[in-house]
Amino acid sequence: MHLDSLVYKNIAQEFQEKYDCALGKRRLDSVLVERGTCSNKGRNAKSFLLKNEVFVNGERKTDGKTAVESGDEIEIRQMDGEKTRFKIEEDIYIAIDKPKGVVCSNVSDSHETVFEWLKRTADFPAGDIDRLHMVGRLDSETSGLLILTTDGSFSHFLTNPESGIEKTYHVLLKNGVDTESRKRYSRKAKDGVTMPPEKKSPEEMSGKTELRWISGTECLATLTEGKFHEVRRIFRALGNEVAELRRIAIGNMTLNGTEPRALTPNDILSSVERYRP
């Protein structure tokens, strides 16, 4: 699935502008916005940089497009005399294979959370884990690929349905499906089905979903949305039940072993490369 140039520009502009991916650099105005120093990029950031003194490693900068990177020291001297100094922290990107029974939540009284599980099983500093947020969610009974990051722009790009980023799941069904029924399932899923209500989610249409059959009880389901329990509700609408569900890919990123791993710049680039116009 490819985005037309206008949609890609509107959705991914912040992500593209924030990074010079080959060099791992970011824009100064993005850093200022993230820290709440100014409200948005463009005109607001430009005005802030002209009215106040902003230094990068001791050198004054007035252009919001100035490239900065982790380790750079930023000093801000505002017109009212207030001074702020900080060092840019590197964004973190981690891929994990979430087990069943672990919940995508910051706090839970009944289950181990993703963050508790990560601190218990992975060799990452606890302080870094505390900075992370989840890119989308998986329910407690679904296992598989989950991305955690400190980068809000990257997270927004991956989860926004208009970005067209595909998520692929391995589905094991409770009831076997014959050849003709598989064709019917595939046709209906591709067109979208009316999903039954569940908990706080009302009856609603599913996104277009591609089904690739492995056997009468197994298939791969690929979709770009992430509505509540969407894959499970799609098959319920088709008259079946999901027995096991596992996410195996987000964009071009796939599970690579079961151990949590830090993503490289190449991993991040490849995750969105196919969606560039």
Short mmCIF file of all heavy atoms in Angstrom, two decimals, residues 85-114:
data_model
loop_
_atom_site.label_atom_id
_atom_site.label_comp_id
_atom_site.label_asym_id
_atom_site.label_seq_id
_atom_site.Cartn_x
_atom_site.Cartn_y
_atom_site.Cartn_z
N ARG A 85 19.21 25.37 30.68
CA ARG A 85 20.29 24.64 30.03
C ARG A 85 19.99 23.15 30.13
O ARG A 85 19.60 22.66 31.18
CB ARG A 85 21.63 24.96 30.68
CG ARG A 85 22.82 24.21 30.05
CD ARG A 85 24.13 24.61 30.69
NE ARG A 85 24.48 25.99 30.35
CZ ARG A 85 25.56 26.61 30.83
NH1 ARG A 85 26.36 25.98 31.68
NH2 ARG A 85 25.81 27.85 30.48
N PHE A 86 20.14 22.44 29.03
CA PHE A 86 19.91 20.99 29.03
C PHE A 86 20.71 20.34 27.92
O PHE A 86 21.17 20.99 26.98
CB PHE A 86 18.42 20.67 28.87
CG PHE A 86 17.80 21.15 27.58
CD1 PHE A 86 17.78 20.33 26.45
CD2 PHE A 86 17.24 22.42 27.49
CE1 PHE A 86 17.22 20.78 25.26
CE2 PHE A 86 16.68 22.88 26.31
CZ PHE A 86 16.66 22.05 25.19
N LYS A 87 20.86 19.04 28.04
CA LYS A 87 21.55 18.25 27.02
C LYS A 87 20.52 17.37 26.32
O LYS A 87 19.65 16.79 26.97
CB LYS A 87 22.64 17.39 27.65
CG LYS A 87 23.46 16.58 26.65
CD LYS A 87 24.56 15.78 27.33
CE LYS A 87 25.66 16.70 27.82
NZ LYS A 87 26.83 15.93 28.33
N ILE A 88 20.60 17.30 25.01
CA ILE A 88 19.65 16.51 24.24
C ILE A 88 19.88 15.02 24.49
O ILE A 88 20.99 14.52 24.31
CB ILE A 88 19.76 16.81 22.74
CG1 ILE A 88 19.39 18.27 22.47
CG2 ILE A 88 18.85 15.88 21.93
CD1 ILE A 88 19.55 18.68 21.03
N GLU A 89 18.81 14.35 24.91
CA GLU A 89 18.89 12.91 25.11
C GLU A 89 18.54 12.19 23.82
O GLU A 89 17.70 12.63 23.05
CB GLU A 89 17.93 12.46 26.21
CG GLU A 89 18.29 12.96 27.59
CD GLU A 89 17.36 12.40 28.65
OE1 GLU A 89 16.18 12.80 28.65
OE2 GLU A 89 17.80 11.58 29.45
N GLU A 90 19.18 11.08 23.61
CA GLU A 90 18.93 10.29 22.41
C GLU A 90 17.59 9.58 22.54
O GLU A 90 17.26 9.04 23.59
CB GLU A 90 20.04 9.26 22.22
CG GLU A 90 19.94 8.47 20.93
CD GLU A 90 21.13 7.56 20.73
OE1 GLU A 90 21.99 7.52 21.63
OE2 GLU A 90 21.18 6.90 19.68
N ASP A 91 16.80 9.59 21.45
CA ASP A 91 15.55 8.83 21.46
C ASP A 91 15.86 7.34 21.47
O ASP A 91 16.88 6.88 20.94
CB ASP A 91 14.70 9.17 20.23
CG ASP A 91 13.86 10.41 20.43
OD1 ASP A 91 13.30 10.57 21.53
OD2 ASP A 91 13.76 11.23 19.51
N ILE A 92 14.98 6.59 22.11
CA ILE A 92 15.16 5.15 22.26
C ILE A 92 14.05 4.44 21.48
O ILE A 92 12.89 4.85 21.50
CB ILE A 92 15.08 4.74 23.74
CG1 ILE A 92 16.11 5.50 24.56
CG2 ILE A 92 15.27 3.23 23.91
CD1 ILE A 92 15.93 5.34 26.06
N TYR A 93 14.42 3.35 20.80
CA TYR A 93 13.47 2.54 20.04
C TYR A 93 13.74 1.08 20.39
O TYR A 93 14.85 0.58 20.19
CB TYR A 93 13.64 2.74 18.53
CG TYR A 93 13.60 4.18 18.09
CD1 TYR A 93 14.74 4.97 18.16
CD2 TYR A 93 12.43 4.76 17.60
CE1 TYR A 93 14.72 6.30 17.76
CE2 TYR A 93 12.40 6.08 17.19
CZ TYR A 93 13.55 6.84 17.28
OH TYR A 93 13.53 8.16 16.88
N ILE A 94 12.73 0.39 20.91
CA ILE A 94 12.90 -0.99 21.33
C ILE A 94 11.77 -1.84 20.72
O ILE A 94 10.60 -1.43 20.72
CB ILE A 94 12.88 -1.12 22.86
CG1 ILE A 94 14.10 -0.42 23.46
CG2 ILE A 94 12.85 -2.58 23.30
CD1 ILE A 94 14.10 -0.39 24.98
N ALA A 95 12.12 -3.01 20.20
CA ALA A 95 11.14 -3.98 19.73
C ALA A 95 11.11 -5.15 20.69
O ALA A 95 12.16 -5.67 21.08
CB ALA A 95 11.50 -4.47 18.33
N ILE A 96 9.92 -5.55 21.10
CA ILE A 96 9.80 -6.70 21.99
C ILE A 96 8.78 -7.70 21.43
O ILE A 96 7.94 -7.36 20.60
CB ILE A 96 9.37 -6.30 23.42
CG1 ILE A 96 7.91 -5.79 23.43
CG2 ILE A 96 10.31 -5.25 24.00
CD1 ILE A 96 7.36 -5.60 24.84
N ASP A 97 8.92 -8.92 21.87
CA ASP A 97 7.94 -9.97 21.58
C ASP A 97 7.08 -10.12 22.83
O ASP A 97 7.44 -10.86 23.75
CB ASP A 97 8.67 -11.27 21.23
CG ASP A 97 7.71 -12.39 20.85
OD1 ASP A 97 6.49 -12.17 20.85
OD2 ASP A 97 8.21 -13.50 20.55
N LYS A 98 5.98 -9.38 22.88
CA LYS A 98 5.15 -9.38 24.09
C LYS A 98 4.51 -10.75 24.30
O LYS A 98 3.86 -11.29 23.41
CB LYS A 98 4.04 -8.33 23.98
CG LYS A 98 3.25 -8.18 25.29
CD LYS A 98 1.98 -7.39 25.10
CE LYS A 98 0.81 -8.24 24.65
NZ LYS A 98 0.34 -9.23 25.66
N PRO A 99 4.69 -11.32 25.50
CA PRO A 99 4.04 -12.61 25.78
C PRO A 99 2.56 -12.43 26.12
O PRO A 99 2.12 -11.35 26.50
CB PRO A 99 4.81 -13.13 27.01
CG PRO A 99 5.85 -12.11 27.35
CD PRO A 99 5.51 -10.85 26.61
N LYS A 100 1.82 -13.51 26.01
CA LYS A 100 0.44 -13.51 26.49
C LYS A 100 0.45 -13.31 28.01
O LYS A 100 1.37 -13.74 28.70
CB LYS A 100 -0.24 -14.84 26.17
CG LYS A 100 -0.60 -15.03 24.71
CD LYS A 100 -1.21 -16.40 24.47
CE LYS A 100 -2.49 -16.61 25.25
NZ LYS A 100 -3.15 -17.90 24.96
N GLY A 101 -0.58 -12.64 28.51
CA GLY A 101 -0.70 -12.42 29.94
C GLY A 101 -0.07 -11.13 30.43
O GLY A 101 -0.32 -10.72 31.56
N VAL A 102 0.74 -10.50 29.58
CA VAL A 102 1.35 -9.22 29.92
C VAL A 102 0.49 -8.11 29.30
O VAL A 102 0.10 -8.20 28.14
CB VAL A 102 2.79 -9.13 29.39
CG1 VAL A 102 3.37 -7.73 29.56
CG2 VAL A 102 3.67 -10.16 30.09
N VAL A 103 0.17 -7.07 30.08
CA VAL A 103 -0.76 -6.05 29.61
C VAL A 103 -0.03 -4.79 29.15
O VAL A 103 1.01 -4.43 29.70
CB VAL A 103 -1.80 -5.67 30.70
CG1 VAL A 103 -2.67 -6.86 31.03
CG2 VAL A 103 -1.12 -5.13 31.95
N CYS A 104 -0.59 -4.17 28.12
CA CYS A 104 -0.06 -2.91 27.60
C CYS A 104 -0.64 -1.76 28.41
O CYS A 104 -1.59 -1.09 27.99
CB CYS A 104 -0.38 -2.77 26.12
SG CYS A 104 0.51 -3.92 25.07
N SER A 105 -0.07 -1.55 29.58
CA SER A 105 -0.56 -0.52 30.49
C SER A 105 0.59 -0.08 31.37
O SER A 105 1.59 -0.79 31.52
CB SER A 105 -1.70 -1.08 31.36
OG SER A 105 -2.12 -0.14 32.32
N ASN A 106 0.47 1.12 31.93
CA ASN A 106 1.50 1.60 32.85
C ASN A 106 1.33 1.00 34.24
O ASN A 106 2.31 0.80 34.96
CB ASN A 106 1.45 3.13 32.95
CG ASN A 106 1.89 3.80 31.67
OD1 ASN A 106 2.90 3.43 31.08
ND2 ASN A 106 1.12 4.78 31.21
N VAL A 107 0.07 0.72 34.60
CA VAL A 107 -0.23 0.18 35.94
C VAL A 107 -1.32 -0.88 35.82
O VAL A 107 -2.26 -0.74 35.03
CB VAL A 107 -0.72 1.30 36.89
CG1 VAL A 107 -1.04 0.73 38.26
CG2 VAL A 107 0.32 2.42 37.01
N SER A 108 -1.19 -1.95 36.56
CA SER A 108 -2.23 -2.97 36.59
C SER A 108 -2.19 -3.68 37.93
O SER A 108 -1.12 -4.00 38.45
CB SER A 108 -2.02 -3.99 35.46
OG SER A 108 -2.95 -5.06 35.57
N ASP A 109 -3.38 -3.94 38.50
CA ASP A 109 -3.47 -4.66 39.77
C ASP A 109 -3.48 -6.17 39.56
O ASP A 109 -3.22 -6.93 40.51
CB ASP A 109 -4.74 -4.25 40.52
CG ASP A 109 -4.71 -2.80 40.97
OD1 ASP A 109 -3.60 -2.30 41.23
OD2 ASP A 109 -5.78 -2.18 41.06
N SER A 110 -3.81 -6.62 38.34
CA SER A 110 -4.03 -8.04 38.13
C SER A 110 -3.02 -8.71 37.20
O SER A 110 -2.92 -9.94 37.20
CB SER A 110 -5.44 -8.25 37.55
OG SER A 110 -5.60 -7.50 36.35
N HIS A 111 -2.29 -7.93 36.39
CA HIS A 111 -1.35 -8.52 35.45
C HIS A 111 -0.02 -7.78 35.49
O HIS A 111 0.05 -6.61 35.89
CB HIS A 111 -1.90 -8.45 34.01
CG HIS A 111 -3.09 -9.30 33.75
ND1 HIS A 111 -4.36 -8.92 34.13
CD2 HIS A 111 -3.21 -10.51 33.15
CE1 HIS A 111 -5.22 -9.86 33.77
NE2 HIS A 111 -4.55 -10.84 33.17
N GLU A 112 1.02 -8.45 35.06
CA GLU A 112 2.31 -7.79 34.88
C GLU A 112 2.23 -6.87 33.67
O GLU A 112 1.69 -7.24 32.63
CB GLU A 112 3.40 -8.84 34.66
CG GLU A 112 4.80 -8.26 34.61
CD GLU A 112 5.88 -9.32 34.51
OE1 GLU A 112 5.62 -10.37 33.86
OE2 GLU A 112 6.97 -9.12 35.09
N THR A 113 2.72 -5.64 33.81
CA THR A 113 2.69 -4.70 32.69
C THR A 113 3.90 -4.90 31.79
O THR A 113 4.89 -5.53 32.18
CB THR A 113 2.68 -3.24 33.19
OG1 THR A 113 3.97 -2.93 33.74
CG2 THR A 113 1.59 -3.01 34.23
N VAL A 114 3.81 -4.36 30.59
CA VAL A 114 4.93 -4.42 29.65
C VAL A 114 6.20 -3.86 30.27
O VAL A 114 7.29 -4.43 30.11
CB VAL A 114 4.57 -3.64 28.36
CG1 VAL A 114 5.82 -3.35 27.54
CG2 VAL A 114 3.57 -4.43 27.52
#
